[in-house]
Amino acid sequence: MDEALLRSLTPGVLGILVRRGADFAAAEDAVQDALVEAVRVWPADPPRDAKGWLVTVAWRRFLDATRADAARRRREDRIEEEPAPGPSPAADDTLQLYFLCAHPSLTPASAVALTLRAVGGLTTRQIAEAYLVPEATMGQRISRAKRTVSGVRLDRPGDVATVLRVLYLVFNEGYSGDVDLSAEAIRLTRQLAAVIDHPEVAGLLALMLLHHARRAARTAPDGSLVPLAEQDRGRWDTASIAEGVGILQAALARDRLGEFQAQAAVAALHADAPTAGETDWVQIVEWYDELVLLTDSPVVRLNRAVAVGEADGPRAGLAALAALDDSLPRHSAVAAYLHERDGDLATAARLYAEAARRASDLAERDHLTRQAARLNTRRSG
């Protein structure tokens, strides 16, 4: 992939979108989406006209975002025009849509995919990446879900567990992806917590608040990623951390542990450490052990390998990593980090470069590329 070519084409593509009527901020977002797609597609299928390809993809992304924003505003306008509610509290319209899309006639996986696409505003590609499946596979899943519900009445809401899964994925996309949906996910989860007394609803809200509290410190002024260990903890939102910890403690006291409570416990331990070096990694490993029992998720096992490497040394972390499929997203990045901590700079640099090639997010790709360059400079210096 010719990064210099992408950089040289970006201003021209941005200018074309603005001349077509896109406001500058929306045009920038659309062009960034197109650049990420180019990084993913071009190595295997380079276009004949690179600039024309970028303009076409960026304009489509701009139109998709504009339509989604217009639909959301129409929903909000309808809510504002409704008469004041009576004595019975009314649920937010958007939250009702989440429940209706999680229809009992759908499998949980199909309900989540349909809701993320129809209500959350995520693209098929974003949903596929969240589920670690090919985009074509996810497209077929969403199409089947649409066909399933096309002939039924959407008058039976789905279950809470499916809605929680949707809210969690929407938050994750907003927290680390292309679309800023995290605040909306927190708003809806607050509403859900107000009407449903369930420890996992509280656990998800606590998890969101604890992660969102660190958001301002996750990027440098130039937009580059800042790893957790290097973040300025003075920029963390202490009020959100305190609220999240309080909600989590109340949920854990009910002794009905679930996946979101366990994840929130890990986030709380990170938030509680005054410095990265004071993080209680032993407790974090114990919480990941609980998560493995609850989910048996390969992503959880990957994060556990990092925690084991911090608690028991990099070689213990590499041993835990060896049991996992090396095609997992972030596998190469985790292996690179552990090899660097173990002193094998050559292997670490090679793995950072490999992880950069696999990364779909441009900011993450740049970060991993810089890590590889840093180690190569150290080796040659």
Side-chain angles (χ1 to χ4, degrees):
M1 172 61 59
D2 190 338
E3 294 184 32
L5 173 62
L6 285 178
R7 285 195 296 269
S8 68
L9 292 175
T10 297
V13 175
L14 183 59
I16 290 172
L17 263 65
V18 171
R19 287 194 295 274
R20 287 186 178 182
D23 68 80
F24 191 80
E28 277 191 317
D29 291 342
V31 172
Q32 286 300 314
D33 284 352
L35 293 175
V36 171
E37 187 71 3
V39 169
R40 186 181 72 85
V41 172
W42 286 10
D45 186 20
R48 288 193 296 272
D49 179 3
K51 184 175 181 179
W53 189 98
L54 286 171
V55 170
T56 299
V57 173
W59 185 248
R60 287 174 181 167
R61 294 299 168 83
F62 166 73
L63 292 178
D64 287 344
T66 300
R67 292 186 188 110
D69 185 57
R72 188 180 301 278
R73 285 200 302 271
R74 285 195 297 272
R75 289 200 304 272
E76 292 171 350
D77 289 342
R78 285 197 298 271
I79 292 172
E80 290 176 359
E81 292 169 1
E82 291 177 356
S88 299
D92 180 86
D93 183 51
T94 306
L95 192 57
Q96 287 179 351
L97 289 173
Y98 273 68
F99 272 94
L100 291 175
C101 284
H103 196 270
S105 63
L106 296 173
T107 64
S110 295
V112 169
L114 177 62
T115 313
L116 289 171
R117 187 72 185 93
V119 187
L122 274 65
T123 65
T124 303
R125 174 181 59 83
Q126 290 167 328
I127 302 168
E129 289 175 353
Y131 270 91
L132 311 181
V133 299
E135 184 175 350
T137 300
M138 184 54 67
Q140 292 169 359
R141 183 181 299 176
I142 294 171
S143 295
R144 284 196 299 269
K146 289 178 179 178
R147 288 195 298 270
T148 298
V149 300
S150 63
V152 301
R153 289 178 58 84
L154 293 179
D155 55 358
R156 290 188 298 151
D159 67 338
V160 175
T162 300
V163 173
L164 288 179
R165 177 63 50 192
V166 174
L167 289 168
Y168 177 56
L169 291 175
V170 170
F171 174 81
N172 277 344
E173 187 59 40
Y175 181 64
S176 60
D178 303 331
V179 185
D180 188 2
L181 294 168
S182 52
E184 173 71 356
I186 291 173
R187 184 182 73 85
L188 293 173
T189 306
R190 282 190 187 279
Q191 292 190 352
L192 189 59
V195 297
I196 296 179
D197 182 22
H198 192 288
E200 272 294 82
V201 177
L204 178 58
L205 179 56
L207 176 62
M208 289 178 174
L209 290 169
L210 289 164
H211 277 310
H212 203 59
R214 301 199 301 259
R215 186 168 189 178
R218 290 186 71 247
T219 54
D222 63 359
S224 60
L225 294 180
V226 180
L228 176 61
E230 300 172 19
Q231 289 177 14
D232 177 1
R233 298 183 178 220
R235 299 184 66 196
W236 290 1
D237 183 346
T238 55
S240 291
I241 290 173
E243 183 185 6
V245 169
I247 292 171
L248 173 63
Q249 289 174 338
L252 291 175
R254 300 176 66 174
D255 199 24
R256 291 168 56 195
L257 183 64
E259 172 187 355
F260 295 121
Q261 294 169 75
Q263 288 193 58
V266 171
L269 286 167
H270 282 299
D272 186 56
T275 66
E278 297 173 85
T279 304
D280 190 342
W281 287 105
V282 173
Q283 269 204 74
I284 289 177
V285 171
E286 292 173 356
W287 279 112
Y288 274 125
D289 288 340
E290 294 284 356
L291 273 168
V292 168
L293 293 174
L294 289 165
T295 69
D296 196 28
S297 161
V299 175
V300 168
R301 292 181 182 275
L302 186 70
N303 291 333
R304 180 184 178 277
V306 176
V308 169
E310 298 289 354
D312 301 325
R315 295 195 178 180
L318 287 167
L321 189 65
L324 303 178
D325 185 345
D326 62 9
S327 67
L328 275 172
R330 294 185 59 248
H331 185 285
S332 297
V334 169
Y337 173 73
L338 293 171
H339 276 291
E340 179 183 357
R341 288 200 60 226
D342 195 38
D344 187 350
L345 302 189
T347 300
R350 175 179 58 79
L351 288 168
Y352 274 129
E354 178 184 315
R357 289 192 295 271
R358 292 183 176 185
S360 58
D361 179 80
L362 199 57
E364 181 182 1
R365 184 171 182 265
D366 288 346
H367 170 73
L368 293 167
T369 300
R370 285 194 295 271
Q371 295 294 87
R374 174 179 59 81
L375 292 187
N376 284 326
T377 300
R378 282 180 58 186
R379 290 173 57 220
S380 60

